[in-house]
Amino acid sequence: MQRLLNQVADAVQGVRAGQSLNELLARCPAELRPGTQALSFHVLRHLGGAEAVRKLLAPKAPPAKVDALLLSALALLWPVAEPAYADHTVVDQAVSAMRKRSGQSAGFLNAVLRRFLREREALVAQAGRDPAAAFNHPAWWLKRLQADWPEQWQAILAANNRQPPMSLRVHAGRGSAEDYLKRLAEAGLAGRALGPRATQAVVLDRPAPVSQLPGFAQGDVSVQDVAAQLAAPLLLADRAGLPPLPAKPRLLDACSAPGGKTSHLLELSPAAELLALDADADRLARVKDNLARLSQQAELKAADGRQTEAWWDGRPFDAILLDAPCSASGIVRRHPDVRWLRRAGDIAQLAAIQSELLDALWPLLKPGGRLVYATCSVFRAEGQDQVDAFLQRHPDARAVPVDGFTGHLLPLADNEDQPGGPSTIDGFFYALLTKQP
């Protein structure tokens, strides 16, 4: 376990220095990666509390390398219903790990952890007076949520700290969700179909490696959150009052990586001429891999969607999906590092990029065409406020409300009217915009 703890501490140290957990896990030895990810997720979900307690026990912060392991151990000792390890195991292995990490600090770590165990109840209660520790989110994040969602902010934060379900999208051309449930049962896996809005969605009772999913390698199923599965049908389905799309529509997926929504568009419209764009060439490679697994074809270009002169051939699009760069504040339960990586000033900067993308892509849309604007954010600045401002700037744009699809979708257990039912969706925002002929 000591090797694992040092890997976790490296990950926590990297996140606190501003590095993405995904990038850090990629450097982890393959045999330790699953365990490192699981424990890192736990630590990051309790990091606010661990930091507050460490300040009580050791007001002068130790060196970053030492602090990361100390915080990891404190988070693993945090009182939870089902701890990953017994208390004595965490202390013993953390001290052993520290001897290899920074030998002179092993005694210090041992003393702090043992004091925490002796006074745990009182220390946790004292730390909980700090909202950032009580909710395990930065103070600025709490204030923004309180302003945006005064009735739901605590429930959103609680949802962020729970483990997410594993959701699948059954290939629309290769069977129904009900058919795939039978294949799962034969493989010893259980789940449930969601419908009616997310008709191809299946939520597993327990997460499973993709190697255990029947037909995954052949493209029969993909891993995709239920909320993300709403993008393609929202863009492509016939809607009252909207001109129908051509039989072979010209589509743009403007920020396509990693390709889940790209492949879903092609599942629902196999004859489409689709351009998948992304500013990050490395991430665009993941789109290529996803399409290859599903035996799909699209044109891929690494380019900034705002710089249309560099990539657009002048032919307008029938429909555009803009899944814009955002804070990822709606998918914190899947990416618990996000809350610690973001800064308060990031939201205005991201909103400016979103606005620039909308303005740049709108002229590329045919009259009568449609654009779906999406973000995996619960912040209004990246959702409804963004769309309201866009409509003010573009008199030829009209928002088309679609019940259960458009607006802010919140990851709340009591939102049974949302697609997928209780606790099955991440936080998302969708708007369907049409260009007046």
Side-chain angles (χ1 to χ4, degrees):
M1 181 185 171
Q2 59 182 272
R3 287 185 66 204
L4 201 58
L5 280 176
N6 267 322
Q7 291 293 332
V8 171
D10 286 344
V12 171
Q13 183 179 348
V15 168
R16 297 180 86 213
Q19 296 175 271
S20 160
L21 182 59
N22 283 344
E23 296 174 5
L24 294 161
L25 290 173
R27 303 173 201 163
C28 182
E31 70 276 11
L32 297 178
R33 197 170 300 148
T36 300
Q37 176 173 304
L39 292 184
S40 296
F41 274 32
H42 177 96
V43 171
L44 292 169
R45 288 179 178 133
H46 294 87
L47 186 59
E51 287 180 335
V53 163
R54 198 270 294 147
K55 289 175 184 175
L56 295 173
L57 295 171
K60 182 180 179 181
K65 193 171 186 178
V66 174
D67 203 18
L69 181 52
L70 173 57
L71 291 171
S72 299
L74 287 169
L76 290 170
L77 292 170
W78 206 259
V80 295
E82 297 181 7
Y85 298 98
D87 292 347
H88 67 87
T89 302
V90 174
V91 175
D92 178 70
Q93 293 299 301
V95 171
S96 297
M98 186 62 83
R99 288 195 183 104
K100 293 192 173 183
R101 190 175 187 84
S102 179
Q104 69 273 22
S105 299
F108 161 76
L109 177 83
N110 184 53
V112 172
L113 295 183
R114 292 191 181 280
R115 183 185 165 194
F116 175 62
L117 289 178
R118 289 194 304 271
E119 306 173 24
R120 178 161 50 186
E121 185 176 349
L123 287 166
V124 168
Q126 187 175 350
R129 296 171 193 159
D130 176 2
F135 294 104
N136 285 293
H137 285 71
W140 70 265
W141 192 300
L142 301 182
K143 291 177 182 177
R144 183 174 282 274
L145 270 187
Q146 289 168 351
D148 283 354
W149 304 105
E151 301 297 326
Q152 301 100 331
W153 68 275
Q154 291 192 48
I156 294 171
L157 293 170
N160 287 351
N161 285 324
R162 284 194 284 268
Q163 292 187 3
M166 183 171 178
S167 304
L168 310 177
R169 188 190 78 239
V170 181
H171 193 299
R174 302 184 190 178
S176 68
E178 289 73 17
D179 292 335
Y180 193 73
L181 285 174
K182 297 175 185 176
R183 297 178 65 183
L184 284 174
E186 292 171 358
L189 300 172
R192 66 189 189 279
L194 294 184
R197 296 184 185 96
T199 56
Q200 298 301 119
V202 167
V203 175
L204 297 180
D205 289 356
R206 292 185 179 181
V210 294
S211 59
Q212 294 182 14
L213 300 177
F216 179 83
Q218 294 73 35
D220 295 346
V221 69
S222 299
V223 178
Q224 188 180 40
D225 177 69
V226 176
Q229 295 186 40
L230 303 183
L234 178 60
L235 184 69
L236 298 177
D238 290 337
R239 307 284 175 193
L242 293 184
L245 291 174
K248 297 181 178 181
R250 179 165 159 78
L251 307 178
L252 171 64
D253 188 353
C255 301
S256 60
K261 298 180 183 70
T262 314
S263 61
H264 198 189
L265 288 169
L266 291 169
E267 285 179 21
L268 299 183
S269 184
E273 178 190 350
L274 190 148
L275 172 59
L277 205 68
D278 204 272
D280 188 327
D282 291 336
R283 281 171 51 81
L284 193 65
R286 295 181 61 191
V287 181
K288 183 178 180 181
D289 292 342
N290 270 321
L291 295 182
R293 182 177 63 85
L294 296 163
S295 302
Q296 294 173 329
Q297 297 289 329
E299 182 182 4
L300 275 60
K301 283 189 178 181
D304 187 328
R306 295 170 293 181
Q307 299 169 359
T308 57
E309 70 284 351
W311 57 266
W312 186 43
D313 63 5
R315 294 186 296 144
F317 295 95
D318 297 294
I320 296 173
L321 173 60
L322 172 55
D323 185 13
C326 72
S327 65
S329 58
I331 56 173
V332 176
R333 60 183 184 170
R334 297 185 189 280
H335 301 279
D337 56 326
V338 165
R339 72 191 90 179
W340 308 118
L341 294 172
R342 291 285 178 228
R343 299 292 179 263
D346 293 347
I347 309 305
Q349 295 176 11
L350 288 162
I353 293 171
Q354 295 154 9
S355 177
E356 291 166 2
L357 280 164
L358 280 165
D359 289 345
L361 297 176
W362 189 248
L364 280 55
L365 189 64
K366 289 181 181 177
R370 68 206 40 191
L371 181 149
V372 163
Y373 169 76
T375 59
C376 53
S377 175
V378 295
F379 297 147
R380 290 186 181 273
E382 300 181 284
Q384 194 60 56
D385 292 353
Q386 183 70 256
V387 169
D388 289 345
F390 174 80
L391 293 172
Q392 289 292 320
R393 297 194 303 273
H394 295 272
D396 60 341
R398 179 172 68 90
V400 180
V402 181
D403 186 45
F405 285 80
T406 56
H408 283 278
L409 306 178
L410 302 178
L412 302 181
D414 58 351
N415 281 353
E416 297 187 30
D417 59 324
Q418 290 186 349
S423 298
T424 57
I425 67 166
D426 288 342
F428 254 76
F429 175 83
Y430 284 111
L432 175 60
L433 305 169
T434 182
K435 180 180 282 189
Q436 300 296 89

